Each structure stands twice: as C-alpha cells, then as structure tokens.
C-alpha cells in the first residue's frame, strides 16, 4: 500500500457570487468577466507564492506555504476586482474568499482534508467581496499585515463544527459584519 503524503498548508477557497444566475442572464458577458477576474486572481496567487490545485467553473482552490502571503493575496485580488468593478462598463462579478490552514493529504496535484473543507465552508459564509479566515489564520496574521481583522463570531460549518470562530479581513469592498 502506498503511503499517504501529508503537508501543513494554507488553503484559499474563492468563488464567484451568483455565477449561475449571471450565466442564465448573459453567458457571453459572464464568461468575459469571469476570464478578466480569473486573470486578476491567478496573477495574485502566483505573485504571492500560491499554487492553484483545483478549479471548477467559477471556483478556485489554491495552496500557500505562508498564511500571511495567502491573506495578502486575497486582499490584493479582492481590492483589484473592486477597482475593476468601479470602472467597468461590462458585467461586474463579486467574489467570496475563505482561508484556513491545516494538515492536508496530497494525492497527485490535488489536496484533501479539513484544511480544504474548512476553507470552502468559510467561503460559503461570506458576503460578496468578503474574506473570512479561521481563528488559527487570524492568530498568525493579526499583527503582521496592514489590513484590519474583526471578529465575525462563530459559524456553523456543515459536517465540521457548530461553533467555528471566524474573522473578517477588511478590503475595499467588504462590509465588516459584527457578530
């Protein structure tokens, strides 16, 4: 039996808000905007040392060795997409981001485990333009990045936890939510 390959990693999960609805309304404009946003997201992931390990339509999963670089990446692309949307005459798309770090299983080019699952669950709890991070990420980055982190309370993460503590990272587009 092949041994399981593991590593501690920071996982970023991002997804376009309302993508299916946009596709129903205007496939061509949605696809053009998706491509423009993905150029921003992919370039930011690369610049900050991340590696994309999975995409599915409008979602991206990326792995980083540094929680600080991962959060800076998310802030960079959320701010760039906000700026794009302010001056864009075409369809605007908003994104949600969840970030968590944990031990993950690596199989080929893919990652599995709680690190991935929790990042994805955090993303699903975001408002448009928001970045939610786990307490462990917040503990590492809170005094090492320029952005403000604000406690966002506890969330129920499906099949994971009924009281998972999360934090909101400020960006140009985020609406800081109080618990």
């Amino acid at each position: 039996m092949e041994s399981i390959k593991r590593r501690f990693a920071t996982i970023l999960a991002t997804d376009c808000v309302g993508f299916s609805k946009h596709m129903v309304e205007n496939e061509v404009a949605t696809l053009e905007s998706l491509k423009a946003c993905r150029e921003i997201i992919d370039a930011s992931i690369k610049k900050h040392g991340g590696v994309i390990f999975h995409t599915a339509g409008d979602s991206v999963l990326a792995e980083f060795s540094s929680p600080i670089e991962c959060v800076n990446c998310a802030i960079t692309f959320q701010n760039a997409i906000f700026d794009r949307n302010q001056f864009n005459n075409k369809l605007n798309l908003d994104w949600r981001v969840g970030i968590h770090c944990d031990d993950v299983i690596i199989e080929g080019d893919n990652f599995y485990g709680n690190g991935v699952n929790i990042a994805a669950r955090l993303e699903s709890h975001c408002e448009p333009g928001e970045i939610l991070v786990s307490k462990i990420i917040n503990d590492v980055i809170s005094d090492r990045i320029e952005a403000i982190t604000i406690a966002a309370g506890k969330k129920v993460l499906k099949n994971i936890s009924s009281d998972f503590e999360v934090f909101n990272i400020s960006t140009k587009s985020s609406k800081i939510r109080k618990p």
Side-chain angles (χ1 to χ4, degrees):
M1 181 173 170
E2 190 177 319
S3 65
I4 294 175
K5 186 176 173 185
R6 294 181 175 272
R7 152 164 104 223
F8 193 80
T10 303
I11 305 296
L12 177 147
T14 188
D15 185 69
C16 179
V17 178
F19 184 75
S20 298
K21 178 181 78 88
H22 290 303
M23 285 298 282
V24 167
E25 293 171 358
N26 189 335
E27 286 179 331
V28 173
T30 302
L31 186 56
E32 286 177 10
S33 286
L34 175 67
K35 288 179 181 179
C37 290
R38 280 297 306 275
E39 284 181 20
I40 293 167
I41 292 166
D42 294 8
S44 183
I45 289 170
K46 184 177 180 180
K47 175 185 172 193
H48 290 276
V51 175
I52 295 171
F53 66 87
H54 186 73
T55 64
D58 63 316
S59 66
V60 176
L61 292 170
E63 179 266 336
F64 293 77
S65 58
S66 165
I68 295 164
E69 286 300 321
C70 184
V71 171
N72 282 331
C73 168
I75 293 167
T76 298
F77 77 69
Q78 286 287 49
N79 286 340
I81 290 171
F82 177 83
D83 290 343
R84 175 192 177 273
N85 288 346
Q86 296 302 301
F87 303 105
N88 182 30
N89 294 329
K90 298 181 181 180
L91 177 67
N92 292 330
L93 298 177
D94 293 308
W95 295 77
R96 300 178 294 228
V97 179
I99 300 173
H100 180 64
C101 60
D102 205 340
D103 194 67
V104 296
I105 296 172
I106 304 163
E107 188 172 275
D109 293 333
N110 214 342
F111 292 72
Y112 300 92
N114 274 341
V116 178
N117 297 337
I118 291 172
R121 297 291 195 275
L122 291 175
E123 175 272 314
S124 72
H125 280 275
C126 289
E127 295 294 323
E130 189 173 51
I131 302 167
L132 283 179
V133 302
S134 61
K135 182 176 183 336
I136 191 169
I137 294 290
N138 187 69
D139 289 347
V140 171
I141 62 133
S142 63
D143 61 352
R144 296 180 183 179
I145 64 169
E146 292 182 22
I148 298 168
T149 63
I150 296 178
K154 294 183 178 183
K155 304 290 181 194
V156 175
L157 302 185
K158 182 181 173 187
N159 298 324
I160 295 172
S161 174
S162 60
D163 62 346
F164 197 86
E165 192 171 2
V166 299
F167 293 80
N168 183 292
I169 306 294
S170 65
T171 63
K172 290 180 181 181
S173 63
S174 66
K175 296 176 183 129
I176 304 300
R177 295 185 293 166
K178 307 256 185 218

PDB file of all heavy atoms in Angstrom, residues 111-127:
ATOM      1  N   PHE A 111      -5.352  18.301  -3.255  1.00  0.00           N
ATOM      2  CA  PHE A 111      -5.248  18.340  -1.806  1.00  0.00           C
ATOM      3  C   PHE A 111      -6.593  17.961  -1.207  1.00  0.00           C
ATOM      4  O   PHE A 111      -7.639  18.347  -1.730  1.00  0.00           O
ATOM      5  CB  PHE A 111      -4.878  19.752  -1.326  1.00  0.00           C
ATOM      6  CG  PHE A 111      -3.497  20.183  -1.703  1.00  0.00           C
ATOM      7  CD1 PHE A 111      -3.176  20.504  -3.007  1.00  0.00           C
ATOM      8  CD2 PHE A 111      -2.510  20.271  -0.734  1.00  0.00           C
ATOM      9  CE1 PHE A 111      -1.899  20.903  -3.358  1.00  0.00           C
ATOM     10  CE2 PHE A 111      -1.222  20.673  -1.077  1.00  0.00           C
ATOM     11  CZ  PHE A 111      -0.922  20.984  -2.386  1.00  0.00           C
ATOM     12  N   TYR A 112      -6.547  17.230  -0.082  1.00  0.00           N
ATOM     13  CA  TYR A 112      -7.758  16.785   0.594  1.00  0.00           C
ATOM     14  C   TYR A 112      -7.612  17.002   2.093  1.00  0.00           C
ATOM     15  O   TYR A 112      -6.509  17.097   2.609  1.00  0.00           O
ATOM     16  CB  TYR A 112      -7.990  15.284   0.352  1.00  0.00           C
ATOM     17  CG  TYR A 112      -8.136  14.919  -1.102  1.00  0.00           C
ATOM     18  CD1 TYR A 112      -7.029  14.542  -1.855  1.00  0.00           C
ATOM     19  CD2 TYR A 112      -9.379  14.966  -1.724  1.00  0.00           C
ATOM     20  CE1 TYR A 112      -7.157  14.205  -3.196  1.00  0.00           C
ATOM     21  CE2 TYR A 112      -9.524  14.626  -3.063  1.00  0.00           C
ATOM     22  CZ  TYR A 112      -8.413  14.245  -3.792  1.00  0.00           C
ATOM     23  OH  TYR A 112      -8.534  13.922  -5.112  1.00  0.00           O
ATOM     24  N   GLY A 113      -8.747  17.038   2.788  1.00  0.00           N
ATOM     25  CA  GLY A 113      -8.729  17.103   4.239  1.00  0.00           C
ATOM     26  C   GLY A 113      -9.418  18.336   4.785  1.00  0.00           C
ATOM     27  O   GLY A 113      -9.984  19.147   4.046  1.00  0.00           O
ATOM     28  N   ASN A 114      -9.365  18.476   6.124  1.00  0.00           N
ATOM     29  CA  ASN A 114     -10.052  19.577   6.792  1.00  0.00           C
ATOM     30  C   ASN A 114      -9.577  20.948   6.348  1.00  0.00           C
ATOM     31  O   ASN A 114     -10.352  21.894   6.334  1.00  0.00           O
ATOM     32  CB  ASN A 114      -9.923  19.455   8.309  1.00  0.00           C
ATOM     33  CG  ASN A 114     -10.994  18.575   8.888  1.00  0.00           C
ATOM     34  OD1 ASN A 114     -12.022  18.332   8.258  1.00  0.00           O
ATOM     35  ND2 ASN A 114     -10.766  18.092  10.095  1.00  0.00           N
ATOM     36  N   GLY A 115      -8.312  21.084   6.011  1.00  0.00           N
ATOM     37  CA  GLY A 115      -7.826  22.382   5.545  1.00  0.00           C
ATOM     38  C   GLY A 115      -8.608  22.871   4.344  1.00  0.00           C
ATOM     39  O   GLY A 115      -9.001  24.036   4.263  1.00  0.00           O
ATOM     40  N   VAL A 116      -8.869  21.972   3.425  1.00  0.00           N
ATOM     41  CA  VAL A 116      -9.626  22.305   2.209  1.00  0.00           C
ATOM     42  C   VAL A 116     -11.104  22.478   2.545  1.00  0.00           C
ATOM     43  O   VAL A 116     -11.736  23.466   2.137  1.00  0.00           O
ATOM     44  CB  VAL A 116      -9.445  21.208   1.140  1.00  0.00           C
ATOM     45  CG1 VAL A 116     -10.267  21.512  -0.102  1.00  0.00           C
ATOM     46  CG2 VAL A 116      -7.968  21.040   0.791  1.00  0.00           C
ATOM     47  N   ASN A 117     -11.652  21.537   3.297  1.00  0.00           N
ATOM     48  CA  ASN A 117     -13.079  21.585   3.613  1.00  0.00           C
ATOM     49  C   ASN A 117     -13.459  22.836   4.399  1.00  0.00           C
ATOM     50  O   ASN A 117     -14.479  23.470   4.112  1.00  0.00           O
ATOM     51  CB  ASN A 117     -13.481  20.335   4.408  1.00  0.00           C
ATOM     52  CG  ASN A 117     -13.286  19.072   3.606  1.00  0.00           C
ATOM     53  OD1 ASN A 117     -13.256  19.087   2.385  1.00  0.00           O
ATOM     54  ND2 ASN A 117     -13.141  17.962   4.300  1.00  0.00           N
ATOM     55  N   ILE A 118     -12.657  23.194   5.379  1.00  0.00           N
ATOM     56  CA  ILE A 118     -12.980  24.367   6.194  1.00  0.00           C
ATOM     57  C   ILE A 118     -12.846  25.650   5.378  1.00  0.00           C
ATOM     58  O   ILE A 118     -13.697  26.538   5.468  1.00  0.00           O
ATOM     59  CB  ILE A 118     -12.122  24.404   7.479  1.00  0.00           C
ATOM     60  CG1 ILE A 118     -12.566  23.258   8.400  1.00  0.00           C
ATOM     61  CG2 ILE A 118     -12.222  25.757   8.185  1.00  0.00           C
ATOM     62  CD1 ILE A 118     -11.690  23.038   9.615  1.00  0.00           C
ATOM     63  N   ALA A 119     -11.813  25.775   4.560  1.00  0.00           N
ATOM     64  CA  ALA A 119     -11.681  26.964   3.707  1.00  0.00           C
ATOM     65  C   ALA A 119     -12.915  27.114   2.812  1.00  0.00           C
ATOM     66  O   ALA A 119     -13.454  28.213   2.652  1.00  0.00           O
ATOM     67  CB  ALA A 119     -10.410  26.882   2.863  1.00  0.00           C
ATOM     68  N   ALA A 120     -13.375  26.008   2.230  1.00  0.00           N
ATOM     69  CA  ALA A 120     -14.560  26.050   1.364  1.00  0.00           C
ATOM     70  C   ALA A 120     -15.813  26.420   2.154  1.00  0.00           C
ATOM     71  O   ALA A 120     -16.652  27.195   1.670  1.00  0.00           O
ATOM     72  CB  ALA A 120     -14.741  24.707   0.668  1.00  0.00           C
ATOM     73  N   ARG A 121     -15.956  25.885   3.357  1.00  0.00           N
ATOM     74  CA  ARG A 121     -17.128  26.220   4.176  1.00  0.00           C
ATOM     75  C   ARG A 121     -17.102  27.697   4.590  1.00  0.00           C
ATOM     76  O   ARG A 121     -18.141  28.359   4.612  1.00  0.00           O
ATOM     77  CB  ARG A 121     -17.201  25.347   5.429  1.00  0.00           C
ATOM     78  CG  ARG A 121     -17.378  23.873   5.199  1.00  0.00           C
ATOM     79  CD  ARG A 121     -18.740  23.519   4.635  1.00  0.00           C
ATOM     80  NE  ARG A 121     -19.039  22.116   4.727  1.00  0.00           N
ATOM     81  CZ  ARG A 121     -18.656  21.192   3.838  1.00  0.00           C
ATOM     82  NH1 ARG A 121     -17.933  21.535   2.809  1.00  0.00           N
ATOM     83  NH2 ARG A 121     -19.011  19.943   3.990  1.00  0.00           N
ATOM     84  N   LEU A 122     -15.918  28.212   4.914  1.00  0.00           N
ATOM     85  CA  LEU A 122     -15.815  29.633   5.261  1.00  0.00           C
ATOM     86  C   LEU A 122     -16.219  30.500   4.073  1.00  0.00           C
ATOM     87  O   LEU A 122     -16.960  31.477   4.234  1.00  0.00           O
ATOM     88  CB  LEU A 122     -14.395  29.979   5.706  1.00  0.00           C
ATOM     89  CG  LEU A 122     -13.950  29.398   7.046  1.00  0.00           C
ATOM     90  CD1 LEU A 122     -12.487  29.723   7.299  1.00  0.00           C
ATOM     91  CD2 LEU A 122     -14.818  29.906   8.180  1.00  0.00           C
ATOM     92  N   GLU A 123     -15.742  30.144   2.896  1.00  0.00           N
ATOM     93  CA  GLU A 123     -16.104  30.899   1.685  1.00  0.00           C
ATOM     94  C   GLU A 123     -17.612  30.946   1.507  1.00  0.00           C
ATOM     95  O   GLU A 123     -18.177  31.976   1.161  1.00  0.00           O
ATOM     96  CB  GLU A 123     -15.399  30.279   0.467  1.00  0.00           C
ATOM     97  CG  GLU A 123     -15.784  30.893  -0.854  1.00  0.00           C
ATOM     98  CD  GLU A 123     -17.001  30.244  -1.463  1.00  0.00           C
ATOM     99  OE1 GLU A 123     -17.087  29.004  -1.485  1.00  0.00           O
ATOM    100  OE2 GLU A 123     -17.895  30.997  -1.916  1.00  0.00           O
ATOM    101  N   SER A 124     -18.283  29.856   1.781  1.00  0.00           N
ATOM    102  CA  SER A 124     -19.738  29.808   1.577  1.00  0.00           C
ATOM    103  C   SER A 124     -20.497  30.712   2.550  1.00  0.00           C
ATOM    104  O   SER A 124     -21.647  31.058   2.301  1.00  0.00           O
ATOM    105  CB  SER A 124     -20.248  28.365   1.673  1.00  0.00           C
ATOM    106  OG  SER A 124     -20.215  27.904   3.010  1.00  0.00           O
ATOM    107  N   HIS A 125     -19.864  31.110   3.652  1.00  0.00           N
ATOM    108  CA  HIS A 125     -20.490  32.006   4.629  1.00  0.00           C
ATOM    109  C   HIS A 125     -20.217  33.482   4.343  1.00  0.00           C
ATOM    110  O   HIS A 125     -20.728  34.348   5.056  1.00  0.00           O
ATOM    111  CB  HIS A 125     -19.993  31.677   6.046  1.00  0.00           C
ATOM    112  CG  HIS A 125     -20.680  30.491   6.645  1.00  0.00           C
ATOM    113  ND1 HIS A 125     -21.883  30.566   7.300  1.00  0.00           N
ATOM    114  CD2 HIS A 125     -20.327  29.182   6.662  1.00  0.00           C
ATOM    115  CE1 HIS A 125     -22.245  29.362   7.711  1.00  0.00           C
ATOM    116  NE2 HIS A 125     -21.310  28.501   7.327  1.00  0.00           N
ATOM    117  N   CYS A 126     -19.424  33.785   3.340  1.00  0.00           N
ATOM    118  CA  CYS A 126     -19.037  35.166   3.048  1.00  0.00           C
ATOM    119  C   CYS A 126     -20.132  35.955   2.355  1.00  0.00           C
ATOM    120  O   CYS A 126     -20.915  35.421   1.579  1.00  0.00           O
ATOM    121  CB  CYS A 126     -17.814  35.190   2.129  1.00  0.00           C
ATOM    122  SG  CYS A 126     -16.285  34.669   2.870  1.00  0.00           S
ATOM    123  N   GLU A 127     -20.100  37.235   2.608  1.00  0.00           N
ATOM    124  CA  GLU A 127     -20.860  38.196   1.812  1.00  0.00           C
ATOM    125  C   GLU A 127     -20.023  38.517   0.572  1.00  0.00           C
ATOM    126  O   GLU A 127     -18.804  38.283   0.566  1.00  0.00           O
ATOM    127  CB  GLU A 127     -21.089  39.481   2.619  1.00  0.00           C
ATOM    128  CG  GLU A 127     -21.961  39.293   3.843  1.00  0.00           C
ATOM    129  CD  GLU A 127     -23.395  38.934   3.501  1.00  0.00           C
ATOM    130  OE1 GLU A 127     -23.909  39.477   2.495  1.00  0.00           O
ATOM    131  OE2 GLU A 127     -23.993  38.111   4.212  1.00  0.00           O
TER     132      GLU A 127
END
